[in-house]
Amino acid sequence: MALEGGSLIINTRPVYMVEPVNRRQSGRATGASMSTEDQEAQEDELLALASIYGEDEFKRAESAQGGEIRVCLELPENFRICVKGNAAANNGNDSFEDTVCFLPPILLNFELPPDYPSNSAPVFTLSCKWLSTVQLSSLCCQLDTLWEENQGDVILFAWMQFLKEETLAFLNITSPYELTICTKGTFSQKYLFPTKTEQDSSKEELTKSSEVLDSRAIQDVDSFTGLIRDVLDFDQVQQKKCFDSKPYTCNICFCEKLGSECTCFKECQHVYCNTCLTGYFEIQIKDGQVHALNCPEPKCSSVASPAQVKQLVGDQLFSRYDRLLLQSSLDLMADVVYCPRPSCQTPVMQEPGGTMGICSSCRYAFCTLCKMTYHGVSPCKITAEKLIALRNEYLEADETMKRFLEKRYGKRVIQKAVEEMESKDWLEMNSKACPRCGTHIQKVDGCNKMTCTGCTQYFCWICMSSLSRVNPYSHFNDPGLGCFNQLFLALERDDDIWDAIDDI
């Protein structure tokens, strides 16, 4: 019995269970005794299942002839799951959609009667977090059919194969798979979240249909958020297991290692061994480049997550990384300034419209504009770093703003800031800006592989493109690039040195 599938409605009201019509009783028969043949068949089957499947798929019961089978389905590539629910009942989160590689398993709990497999079928229950009771009832019916076709033979392996390989096709489940969760009404095959009228009509349709709910089918979902959490957690755990068991080649050391010894960047899916990444990250963190913990692949912008960094570096370096990362985040907040005392540097929230900041740690009162001791209404003594910004602000201001700036900083300070324009022109003519941080670099001599003095980024002096930190010279060895064989282009010739070479 195939179902038009993929939507699930969870009901919090009692559902009246209807026993299947003309179903042969599969429970333990009164007075039945276990024959030697049945006992041997059961033991052989349970031992075979334990040898074929791991503990995460098959677990034998300790006190009875039974156990639990966990069936994890093989989903198609890019399988999407969409969960919909009642917004009022789910704190406003009424929809969720994501791509998953694995869904929580179907659980088959079973107990073998004394006269199995010669006469009786296993007693079982079927439960799942993402299948409705109607869908589970249909699977129970199909398991009964498989037993009837193979009565007298062991059946558990056949049941596992059916659930693992044919469940999606049997229930007509395709991507995207819609799961609708409501807090009222009965189970119904509805694509959209049903209104109250639709819920009542779906209950009537279900009662009249030939499909019945099986008492062995157990719906294992308690809430909207619980279902989402279970789906995402299981998918993440299973993907990690698959990654750990596969071999990968590190593009830094070119050694092949298992995924358990490697790290994968989530955005780009590039994989490197932990040994190489640990050394790379340690150098960057010691240099204070906490935003440079990116994928070593050239031109790749993927960045390692804090959790990945913590697994690769020691506690001391991670503490430094965490501190610098927090500081850089605070630097981007317009209303946060730092205590100007070198021994303090505590973040201070700036009062709206005010210019005074009071450090909560050392109680130092300072001007948030010039970072000097708070001077009230007196003009700020501007630092050299602020001159360029002041110049641009003054040149772009209207007359009212210009008078305000002159009153605040003084005309002589403004004139000095304007004179800085000449210095900027000189920099533009005699230097180039780092492609990463913008620091002006002047090339005096040496090859065309440059290192920024500000952020230590490697870059090409000819085309000003960033170079790989792993092998920066590969840029000049690539025939497809304009800088091929141009590593020493435009080097000044030292005649004395060349004359000495010619004499050798």
Side-chain angles (χ1 to χ4, degrees):
M1 173 174 58
L3 296 180
E4 295 298 328
S7 80
L8 165 66
I9 300 176
I10 296 183
N11 179 23
T12 58
R13 294 180 180 176
V15 177
Y16 296 97
M17 312 304 293
V18 183
E19 286 297 330
V21 180
N22 295 328
R23 178 177 290 159
R24 172 176 46 79
Q25 299 296 324
S26 60
R28 188 186 299 273
T30 303
S33 59
M34 179 180 292
S35 65
T36 304
E37 292 79 4
D38 286 336
Q39 183 179 7
E40 291 178 353
Q42 292 181 20
E43 285 297 326
D44 291 343
E45 182 180 28
L46 295 176
L47 289 174
L49 292 176
S51 63
I52 296 174
Y53 303 102
E55 292 185 357
D56 56 339
E57 292 183 275
F58 172 72
K59 187 174 182 179
R60 182 172 178 176
E62 298 179 357
S63 59
Q65 289 291 91
E68 180 182 81
I69 295 174
R70 301 166 60 91
V71 180
C72 186
L73 306 187
E74 296 180 1
L75 301 180
E77 189 176 357
N78 297 323
F79 187 87
R80 296 196 66 80
I81 181 172
C82 179
V83 183
K84 296 183 179 181
N86 187 332
N90 298 308
N91 298 323
N93 300 319
D94 60 346
S95 180
F96 168 82
E97 186 172 358
D98 199 3
T99 300
V100 295
C101 299
F102 301 92
L103 284 172
I106 301 174
L107 302 182
L108 174 65
N109 286 278
F110 67 92
E111 184 175 345
L112 304 179
D115 54 349
Y116 165 83
S118 63
N119 186 33
S120 298
V123 180
F124 70 90
T125 60
L126 207 59
S127 63
C128 184
K129 294 183 178 297
W130 50 274
L131 291 176
S132 69
T133 307
V134 173
Q135 291 170 312
L136 291 170
S137 297
S138 179
L139 293 177
C140 289
C141 183
Q142 182 61 21
L143 296 185
D144 288 337
T145 301
L146 291 176
W147 164 253
E148 292 172 358
E149 294 174 354
N150 298 274
Q151 186 172 359
D153 296 327
V154 291
I155 196 63
L156 293 178
F157 182 80
W159 281 358
M160 290 185 67
Q161 291 300 104
F162 164 74
L163 293 174
K164 187 177 185 65
E165 299 174 2
E166 302 181 36
T167 294
L168 295 181
F170 181 76
L171 298 178
N172 195 24
I173 294 176
T174 57
S175 178
Y177 180 46
E178 300 284 346
L179 304 176
T180 304
I181 301 179
C182 67
T183 56
K184 295 181 181 180
T186 57
F187 294 98
S188 176
Q189 298 298 314
K190 295 291 183 181
Y191 179 78
L192 298 175
F193 178 76
T195 61
K196 186 176 186 300
T197 303
E198 289 173 327
Q199 292 176 16
D200 295 338
S201 63
S202 64
K203 177 179 179 179
E204 183 179 353
E205 292 173 2
L206 178 63
T207 304
K208 294 180 180 180
S209 69
S210 58
E211 299 174 343
V212 291
L213 301 182
D214 196 307
S215 60
R216 299 170 296 179
I218 302 174
Q219 175 61 64
D220 188 20
V221 175
D222 56 354
S223 65
F224 176 86
T225 55
L227 175 60
I228 296 174
R229 181 182 61 253
D230 292 337
V231 168
L232 295 181
D233 288 350
F234 184 81
D235 182 57
Q236 183 178 4
V237 171
Q238 291 300 114
Q239 288 195 56
K240 184 65 168 60
K241 287 183 179 179
C242 291
F243 176 80
D244 289 347
S245 61
K246 293 181 180 179
Y248 297 90
T249 300
C250 174
N251 287 334
I252 296 178
C253 64
F254 301 104
C255 295
E256 188 175 88
K257 297 182 180 181
L258 287 177
S260 57
E261 303 176 71
C262 300
T263 296
C264 176
F265 288 84
K266 295 182 179 179
E267 295 181 12
C268 61
Q269 297 298 306
H270 291 146
V271 179
Y272 297 89
C273 75
N274 292 339
T275 303
C276 293
L277 279 184
T278 297
Y280 172 53
F281 285 175
E282 286 179 348
I283 293 175
Q284 296 291 76
I285 295 174
K286 289 178 181 178
D287 291 342
Q289 305 302 321
V290 294
H291 290 289
L293 303 184
N294 56 324
C295 174
E297 187 75 14
K299 299 181 180 180
C300 184
S301 59
S302 298
V303 179
S305 67
Q308 290 176 323
V309 177
K310 187 174 184 179
Q311 292 178 349
L312 292 172
V313 301
D315 293 339
Q316 183 177 358
L317 273 182
F318 182 77
S319 297
R320 172 179 171 81
Y321 161 82
D322 195 34
R323 184 178 66 257
L324 294 177
L325 192 63
L326 174 61
Q327 181 177 341
S328 64
S329 300
L330 292 175
D331 290 342
L332 299 177
M333 300 175 64
D335 57 348
V336 174
V337 294
Y338 290 94
C339 175
R341 286 182 169 176
S343 60
C344 185
Q345 298 292 307
T346 301
V348 178
M349 293 294 295
Q350 184 175 352
E351 293 294 334
T355 60
M356 183 176 70
I358 301 178
C359 178
S360 60
S361 178
C362 66
R363 308 307 299 174
Y364 176 57
F366 61 96
C367 174
T368 58
L369 298 175
C370 64
K371 304 303 187 293
M372 304 297 288
T373 302
Y374 184 67
H375 48 76
V377 296
S378 301
C380 295
K381 295 180 180 180
I382 191 167
T383 59
E385 291 79 5
K386 295 290 185 179
L387 287 176
I388 296 178
L390 175 59
R391 176 206 62 203
N392 294 335
E393 184 180 1
Y394 182 80
L395 293 177
E396 297 174 0
D398 55 20
E399 291 300 323
T400 302
M401 180 58 67
K402 285 182 178 180
R403 285 194 297 270
F404 170 76
L405 293 176
E406 289 174 355
K407 182 178 179 180
R408 177 178 173 184
Y409 298 106
K411 285 188 176 182
R412 295 182 61 185
V413 175
I414 299 295
Q415 291 174 355
K416 182 179 179 181
V418 174
E419 292 172 357
E420 289 291 330
M421 294 181 65
E422 297 179 1
S423 298
K424 181 179 179 181
D425 294 338
W426 185 93
L427 288 174
E428 291 179 353
M429 295 177 59
N430 297 276
S431 65
K432 294 182 180 181
C434 170
R436 180 177 183 184
C437 69
T439 300
H440 285 277
I441 306 296
Q442 182 183 13
K443 183 173 183 293
V444 179
D445 54 20
C447 65
N448 289 315
K449 189 228 68 172
M450 304 295 294
T451 302
C452 176
T453 57
C455 66
T456 69
Q457 172 66 45
Y458 299 144
F459 64 93
C460 173
W461 183 257
I462 300 174
C463 66
M464 297 305 294
S465 61
S466 299
L467 304 182
S468 168
R469 297 193 65 85
V470 179
N471 186 9
Y473 296 101
S474 63
H475 175 78
F476 303 96
N477 297 329
D478 189 346
L481 299 178
C483 301
F484 177 62
N485 280 342
Q486 302 298 317
L487 178 62
F488 299 101
L489 179 67
L491 281 180
E492 295 184 2
R493 178 184 177 94
D494 191 326
D495 293 332
D496 294 336
I497 295 178
W498 285 103
D499 291 342
I501 295 176
D502 293 338
D503 294 339
I504 298 177

